[in-house]
Amino acid sequence: MAFETPCFHQSGSRAFALAATIAPASLEARGPAFVIRDESADDFVAREALLDESFGPARFLKTCERLREGRMPARGLALVAKDEDRLVATMRMWPIFAGAGRPALLLGPLAVAPDYRSLGLGAAMIEEGLGRAAARNHRAVLLVGDAPYYARFGFDVRVTEGLALPGPVERERFLGLELSKGALEGARGRVSGAGMREPSALRRESPKLARAA
């Protein structure tokens, strides 16, 4: 039987308390307890497995992947959530340009293990990431995602009206958030990747699939 219980999890200096609906018997027995922290090299295999489970090989075809491939995530903005030794969520943010000369971040991918998707963990990851981004003086965040879900965090399609991604996207899913007022005001042009290039030793071989333009 599912029931409501407070869910507490610690992330750096921030602690979250959420009301969570818990169905899996293994979680019913002890309640969920997860920690949000910086991703480490030891998380690579589990992170890739979770992304494969969540999105399948088609994740390499997504337009946003054109902005991420071959690059490193923004410093301090590659996060994982763990329940003891199990990696149960991952989220990264990436340096980009929202048009010429306008630095911003790209949020994604965000993935949560299936048996943790009703615990508010996805929201906690986003809140932690946005808090960290603001603390590091990043001024804006873009993403492609479900507008009703991301609206609760302040994301809006209106601030991306003058921007274009390097490939096809459903316009109503291309959203932006200003961490500093006016950061995306008048933003025009094509969104492009930025930041450090990924060392070749860390690159994962992508499936031999035709990529989206």
Side-chain angles (χ1 to χ4, degrees), residues 31-51:
F34 42 81
V35 177
I36 298 176
R37 63 162 177 77
D38 292 308
E39 178 187 314
S40 73
D42 292 338
D43 297 320
F44 177 82
V45 172
R47 177 182 180 273
E48 291 297 312
L50 178 56
L51 290 174

Side-chain angles (χ1 to χ4, degrees), residues 63-202:
T63 290
C64 285
E65 185 66 13
R66 308 289 76 76
L67 301 171
R68 297 187 290 251
E69 59 189 351
R71 296 189 181 274
M72 299 289 289
R75 185 179 297 274
L77 295 174
L79 307 178
V80 295
K82 302 194 83 171
D83 185 349
E84 297 183 349
D85 292 331
R86 181 187 172 194
L87 190 149
V88 295
T90 175
M91 188 189 77
R92 285 176 165 185
M93 294 189 186
W94 308 77
I96 56 171
F97 287 110
R102 197 182 293 246
L105 293 169
L106 177 72
L107 189 155
L110 167 64
V112 178
D115 50 333
Y116 282 73
R117 288 178 186 167
S118 298
L119 306 180
L121 179 50
M125 295 286 283
I126 294 168
E127 289 174 356
E128 176 69 9
L130 294 178
R132 289 188 180 207
R136 290 176 173 269
N137 297 316
H138 292 286
R139 303 187 69 236
V141 183
L142 305 182
L143 61 81
V144 175
D146 185 41
Y149 178 81
Y150 285 101
R152 74 182 78 174
F153 307 104
F155 285 90
D156 197 301
V157 69
R158 290 172 293 183
V159 295
T160 65
E161 288 177 349
L163 297 170
L165 289 168
V169 65
E170 296 175 64
R171 194 71 211 182
E172 65 274 15
R173 291 172 55 81
F174 182 26
L175 312 173
L177 169 67
E178 294 181 334
L179 297 175
S180 296
K181 186 174 176 58
L184 294 173
E185 186 175 351
R188 295 287 184 273
R190 186 180 174 114
V191 178
S192 58
M196 295 177 59
R197 288 287 181 179
E198 187 178 44
S200 58
L202 297 178

